[in-house]
Amino acid sequence: MIAVLTGGTGGAKFVLGLSHVLPAEELVVIVNTGDDLVWWGLRVSPDLDSITYALAGILSRERGWGVDGDTFHCRDAMARLGESVWFQLGDRDLATHLTRTRLLSHGHSLSEATGEIARGLSIRSAVLPMSDSPVETRVLTDRGELSFQEYFVRERFRPAVERVRFVGAESARPAPGVTEAIRSAEAVLVAPSNPITSIGPILAISGIADALASTNAPVVAVSPIVGSAAVSGPAGDLMQAQGLSVSTSGVAQAYREFLDVLLVAPKDTASAAPSNAWGVQFRAANILMRTDHEKSSLAREALAAARSIKRRARSATV
Ligand code: FO1
């Protein structure tokens, strides 16, 4: 079984690639919920939705989020009523949020609600939220402290970031199955997601980082940084705000406690760049997932890198 840690649109693309090269039952996806919000009275879990839609084959390729070919009649009607529409929910997407909201209001956990939605969409891989307790990513900026979606969607990540915190992470426990999957996996993969706001909340939950540091499974990550810039989105600004260099070395530093191999763009293993940092080995791969073929190839590269590690280099020291 392969466990993958993910969040954001890059993560969804990587999981889509994995789903093309692995039997569905062998994939366990552990998903960030720090971006979750209540919108129009509904419980929305954007990263769980992106993974669920990717695995169901209905993720919008055009937008990278929401349902392919969705319409926005409800959004237009909300706007007419004077409601905020800077965060948009599509008409088909609404079915997911209505179902999740109903299940949660009837006392089900987020894991159970996610399982119900995944079953409804005939998904055979396991999709696990990082935790059943609320953890909220808050971004302290020069325009005040914002929720993740206010920063990312409403403000289009323009405000200067000073700090990021994960409210609720100290008391949150991993959701059922999360640490078990990490400990018993054949390999653990970290998607090319934002290390601070997509993977950071997962690592902030006590028990998850420990499971990663002590698992015997090789841990392989894909860099979301090429050269000195993020492939997409605000990962660079957020890494800088958290004291990391915007480079593959900064990614290695963020994951140094548990990472064995970091897949990086070929130019980042050229002679000028170091071939490892923070005890993490760098390996060249085509990490840009522009086509389905590239997504599957990257998934195969990550699995091959994991299989080539015979024994975890640092398992004796943790
Ligand atoms: N991203 C946007 O840029 N604009 C939106 O209006 C928007 C709505 C939305 C609704 C449901 C959903 O599952 C995702 C949505 N996203 C939207 C994407 C979301 O902000 C990001 O994918 C993640 O939070 C980044 O990790």
Side-chain angles (χ1 to χ4, degrees), residues 7-10 32 34-37 39 44-51 53 59 63-67 72 75 85-90 93 96-97 100 148-149 152-154 156-157 194 197-198 234:
T9 49
N32 170 46
D35 299 4
D36 290 12
L37 69 163
W39 191 246
V44 182
S45 294
D47 287 352
L48 283 169
D49 296 337
S50 297
I51 293 300
Y53 296 157
L59 179 67
R63 278 176 273 120
W65 53 268
V67 178
F72 288 86
R75 175 205 58 192
V85 293
W86 58 260
F87 192 79
Q88 312 184 49
L89 299 180
D93 189 23
T96 302
H97 313 307
R100 179 184 295 115
F148 179 78
Q149 299 300 345
F152 187 71
V153 176
R154 194 187 69 196
R156 297 181 195 284
F157 45 93
N194 185 320
T197 51
S198 292

Side-chain angles (χ1 to χ4, degrees), residues 192 222-226 231 263-266 268 285-289 298:
V222 180
S223 176
I225 302 288
V226 174
V231 174
L263 296 185
V264 302
D268 287 321
N286 176 7
I287 59 172
L288 301 177
M289 297 176 286
L298 181 60

Side-chain angles (χ1 to χ4, degrees), residues 17 51 71 82 90 105 128 154 173 187-188 192 208 217 237-238 296 299 310:
I51 293 300
T71 52
S105 72
L128 308 178
R154 194 187 69 196
R173 292 285 157 266
V188 179
I208 300 188
D237 290 349
L238 291 161
S296 303
K310 291 197 177 64

Side-chain angles (χ1 to χ4, degrees), residues 4-43:
V4 52
L5 272 52
T6 183
T9 49
K13 283 187 188 175
F14 183 63
V15 169
L16 185 59
L18 284 168
S19 74
H20 291 148
V21 302
L22 279 174
E25 295 75 13
E26 288 180 21
L27 185 60
V28 177
V29 193
I30 299 165
V31 185
N32 170 46
T33 57
D35 299 4
D36 290 12
L37 69 163
V38 175
W39 191 246
W40 303 340
L42 300 175
R43 297 278 299 263

